[in-house]
């Protein structure tokens, strides 16, 4: 029983997990996936296009949307709101697209509470040593920066069991990992939890 | 995080679902799957080999195994026991094989209760009309036989939501369906429920 409606997919992972690279490959391989465009109350920067880089809305509008339950997850950072509007994701889901939100653990937990059928995927390196090596390998982070990020990862990964899947992003396996990502979504579409109307449909009730 | 241990897979489906054909294709495509050999108390027929067609054991032994919890599921039919021995599936699971049990709903529910991490897959035709057409298409069943089978299917499919996945076996799509079957198992190996030790492993605790 194949679900016509797309799946809302939340992807998190520590800095150094390579989740962005995995997602880019997924988008390259399949047209069934779209990124969700976030909303923000900050001003557009030169070159930023409304509806492409962000949906730019006023603080008053954002707060009104929060109040009426129209925001799936949000954060407040340096005096501005950033978040995901339900109307934005709903449109793509209705068209059968799988909508990908690349957000941190806190936002993921908000989505899990508000939209129970969202699918949560955690992308991780094979182990902590690899995570550290990848962060150091970038060469752009200070020692303090690296320590902070590792500490943060340790805290974030404590939430791993709130996710549905944990996808290990091995070195040099991007083709395999992106396939696995796509397989997970395909498999989910056959899950009975996502096909509660199966019996009635089958018997045309 | 990839599970070393194999997954116990229970496959059910009404007569006419084509589950046997799907499974044969899966076994042809991947060496990671093995059929579980059932145990029975009936006598071997000419040509039947112990451990290949069945594990032939005495009624006393079968009943002793039931009493000590060594039987994963069983049925009693025409004076003999038929069932699945835990030792048999355990050996293959330990070796990383996915063990497939092709059994009816009643046996599947026994497995679900006794072995919660078993994965239950229900193979179904696209709809009731197709099921009926397939049964009639065989040309070997009497009208009464067909009616009985359809009625039985109707009862069995009421249990669909006790299964984890419902796999629709469309006509002439055996290649696609068998791929989907394999994908489901691959995806499951990344589920957090099957990787409860992830955090400790990741941090080498």
């Amino acid at each position: 029983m194949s679900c016509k409606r797309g799946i809302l997919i939340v992807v998190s992972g520590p800095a150094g997990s390579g989740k962005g690279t995995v997602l880019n490959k997924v988008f390259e391989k399949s047209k069934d996936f779209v990124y969700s465009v976030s909303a923000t109350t900050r001003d557009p920067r030169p070159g930023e296009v409304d509806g492409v880089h962000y949906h730019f809305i006023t603080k008053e509008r954002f707060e009104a949307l929060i109040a009426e339950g129209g925001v799936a997850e949000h954060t407040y950072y340096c005096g501005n709101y950033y978040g995901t509007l339900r109307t934005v994701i709903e449109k793509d889901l209705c068209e059968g697209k799988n909508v990908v939100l690349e957000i941190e653990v806190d936002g993921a937990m908000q989505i899990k509470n508000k939209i129970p059928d969202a699918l949560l995927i955690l992308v991780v390196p094979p182990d902590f040593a690899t995570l550290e090596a990848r962060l150091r390998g970038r060469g752009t982070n200070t020692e303090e920066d690296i320590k902070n990020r590792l500490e943060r990862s340790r805290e974030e990964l404590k939430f791993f069991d709130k996710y549905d899947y944990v996808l290990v992003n091995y070195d040099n396996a991007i083709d395999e990992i992106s396939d696995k990502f796509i397989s997970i979504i395909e498999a989910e579409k056959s899950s009975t939890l996502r096909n509660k109307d199966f019996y009635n449909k089958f018997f045309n009730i």
Side-chain angles (χ1 to χ4, degrees), chain A:
Chain A
M1 190 76 357
S2 174
C3 230
K4 290 267 169 60
R5 189 177 158 86
I7 295 180
L8 178 63
I9 307 161
V10 173
V11 179
S12 309
S17 66
K19 59 183 182 300
T21 317
V22 173
L23 288 174
N24 285 343
K25 198 73 184 174
V26 168
F27 282 89
E28 192 186 307
K29 286 184 176 177
S30 169
K31 297 297 162 211
D32 296 339
F33 295 83
V34 292
Y35 261 119
S36 164
V37 175
S38 299
T40 182
T41 58
R42 76 155 167 77
D43 291 330
R45 292 174 190 148
E48 283 186 341
V49 179
D50 185 38
V52 176
H53 299 92
Y54 281 99
H55 296 284
F56 294 100
I57 62 178
T58 64
K59 202 169 276 188
E60 291 67 34
R61 179 85 186 115
F62 205 111
E63 286 173 349
L65 284 167
I66 292 175
E68 68 194 44
V71 179
E73 58 83 31
H74 73 281
T75 187
Y76 190 78
Y77 176 72
C78 292
N80 278 297
Y81 290 105
Y82 296 78
T84 305
L85 306 187
R86 279 179 180 264
T87 48
V88 170
I89 54 181
E90 193 53 38
K91 184 181 161 290
D92 287 325
L93 291 173
C94 275
E95 289 171 1
K97 298 283 186 183
N98 303 310
V99 178
V100 176
L101 298 187
E102 192 184 332
I103 51 179
E104 298 194 3
V105 171
D106 174 61
M109 295 305 107
Q110 291 181 47
I111 297 276
K112 191 179 166 76
N113 286 330
K114 289 185 192 168
I115 309 178
D117 67 357
L119 187 75
L120 277 61
I121 301 182
L122 184 66
V123 180
V124 294
D127 49 46
F128 191 68
T130 307
L131 179 63
E132 195 169 349
R134 285 188 191 168
L135 284 179
R136 291 192 190 285
R138 291 179 176 181
T140 53
N141 301 315
T142 65
E143 185 58 31
E144 199 193 332
D145 213 36
I146 291 170
K147 278 193 179 149
N148 284 340
R149 280 167 190 263
L150 290 177
E151 191 44 47
R152 191 190 169 92
S153 300
R154 197 182 284 274
E155 287 308 308
E156 284 184 348
L157 290 178
K158 284 183 182 161
F159 288 83
F160 89 95
D161 61 353
K162 301 287 186 278
Y163 286 75
D164 298 296
Y165 295 92
V166 54
L167 193 57
V168 181
N169 187 18
Y170 296 98
D171 287 328
N172 308 315
I174 194 69
D175 203 49
E176 185 192 331
I177 308 303
S178 54
D179 278 349
K180 201 176 267 191
F181 187 99
I182 294 170
S183 286
I184 286 171
I185 310 308
E186 279 312 301
E188 274 291 318
K189 292 195 174 176
S190 296
S191 74
T192 45
L193 284 175
R194 292 186 190 275
N195 292 282
K196 287 178 180 159
D197 56 351
F198 160 74
Y199 189 85
N200 290 352
K201 267 179 157 176
F202 189 84
F203 290 104
N204 210 1
I205 295 171

